[in-house]
């Protein structure tokens, strides 16, 4: 859910790197300023930006890193713009390295596991047309409005029934996950299983109906809890095809 560019400046420049970072919620110009290292693992740079009042503020830190397998230089950044901290890496393509352009691409940090859902709030509401749903999911770190759009490319039982989409600031749809219609093996009640990609990993939640909601159009989003006797439908797979 993050993208951007970073360029190494001339050695005489005040800032070592400058660039842009984009998400579905913001487009921010950033600068990396060299800082005094207090230890081997202390940051190499402060990440700064200019707020709406025109004041330069520190929004994160960055480290020079070397890939374990490739030996290529990249920059690891941890940034917080008021929506909760996130991690991104600035890497170079093979072409950029060969051309020595000093141009980097900002990409999300790839998570090796699932994000723990913790305290989650949210609702999902069936729309009157197009077999779609509208909803939101939120905690103290993020607040996301989204749509569930029917997956027209579903050809196998494990493929998602819906794709999860959010809008960019200019209104462009961005797919951030998938959803499956499911039925509880224990109660026989219908629910929706959602898998949402976040910068901190894949977030799994279920949209269920309580007694008051059952038979209506509204579902409550609750954390997904993995257990040995997990109550889930046989067809609620996690294949992200289509």
């Amino acid at each position: 859910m993050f993208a951007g560019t970073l360029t190494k400046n001339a050695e005489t420049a005040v800032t070592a790197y400058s660039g842009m970072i984009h998400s579905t919620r913001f487009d921010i110009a950033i600068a990396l300023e060299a800082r005094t290292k207090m230890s081997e693992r202390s940051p190499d740079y402060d990440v700064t930006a200019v707020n709406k009042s025109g004041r330069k503020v520190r929004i994160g830190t960055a480290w020079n890193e070397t890939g374990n397998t490739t030996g290529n230089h990249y920059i690891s950044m941890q940034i917080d713009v008021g929506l909760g901290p996130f991690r991104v890496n600035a890497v170079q393509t093979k072409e950029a390295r060969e051309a020595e352009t000093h141009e980097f691409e900002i990409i999300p940090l790839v998570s090796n596991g699932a994000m723990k859902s913790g305290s989650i709030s949210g609702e999902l509401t069936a729309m009157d047309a197009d077999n779609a749903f509208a909803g939101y999911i939120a905690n103290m770190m993020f607040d996301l409005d989204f749509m569930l759009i029917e997956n027209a490319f579903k050809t196998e039982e494990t493929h998602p029934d819906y794709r999860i989409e959010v809008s960019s600031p200019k209104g462009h749809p961005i797919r951030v996950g998938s959803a499956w219609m499911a039925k509880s093996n224990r109660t026989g009640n219908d629910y929706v299983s959602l898998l949402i990609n976040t910068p901190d990993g894949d977030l799994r939640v279920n949209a269920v109906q309580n007694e008051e909601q059952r038979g209506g159009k509204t579902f409550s989003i609750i954390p997904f809890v993995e257990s040995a006797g997990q109550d889930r439908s046989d067809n609620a797979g996690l294949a992200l095809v289509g």
Side-chain angles (χ1 to χ4, degrees), residues 53 109 134 161-162 185 203 218:
S53 299
L109 177 67
D161 295 295
Y162 298 91
N185 293 328
L203 173 63
T218 302

Side-chain angles (χ1 to χ4, degrees), residues 133-152:
F133 291 82
Y136 78 90
I137 185 169
N139 66 8
M140 290 300 293
M141 304 301 286
F142 64 85
D143 194 315
L144 189 68
D145 292 305
F146 62 87
M147 293 285 295
L148 263 58
I149 307 299
E150 189 172 13
N151 180 17

Side-chain angles (χ1 to χ4, degrees), residues 5 82 107 154 169-171 186 200 235:
T5 57
I107 61 174
K154 182 181 175 77
K170 293 186 178 181
R186 180 172 57 87
D200 295 317
N235 63 5

Side-chain angles (χ1 to χ4, degrees), residues 30-32 45-49 57-62 77-79:
I30 61 172
L32 271 59
Y45 307 98
D46 285 325
V47 183
T48 63
V57 294
R58 178 177 174 270
I59 62 170
T61 50
M77 293 183 279
Q78 178 166 303
I79 298 174

Side-chain angles (χ1 to χ4, degrees), residues 126-187:
M127 308 296 287
D128 292 328
D130 299 326
N131 193 25
F133 291 82
Y136 78 90
I137 185 169
N139 66 8
M140 290 300 293
M141 304 301 286
F142 64 85
D143 194 315
L144 189 68
D145 292 305
F146 62 87
M147 293 285 295
L148 263 58
I149 307 299
E150 189 172 13
N151 180 17
F153 301 98
K154 182 181 175 77
T155 57
E156 296 183 15
E157 193 65 25
T158 56
H159 289 179
D161 295 295
Y162 298 91
R163 63 183 186 271
I164 303 173
E165 291 187 352
V166 299
S167 293
S168 73
K170 293 186 178 181
H172 297 290
I174 300 173
R175 181 173 177 174
V176 297
S178 301
W180 296 258
M181 294 301 301
K183 185 180 292 292
S184 169
N185 293 328
R186 180 172 57 87
T187 66

Side-chain angles (χ1 to χ4, degrees), residues 52-73:
K52 294 180 179 180
S53 299
R55 188 189 304 276
K56 184 174 76 173
V57 294
R58 178 177 174 270
I59 62 170
T61 50
W63 294 259
N64 287 312
E65 301 284 3
T66 302
N68 292 329
T69 57
T70 64
N72 295 327
H73 170 245

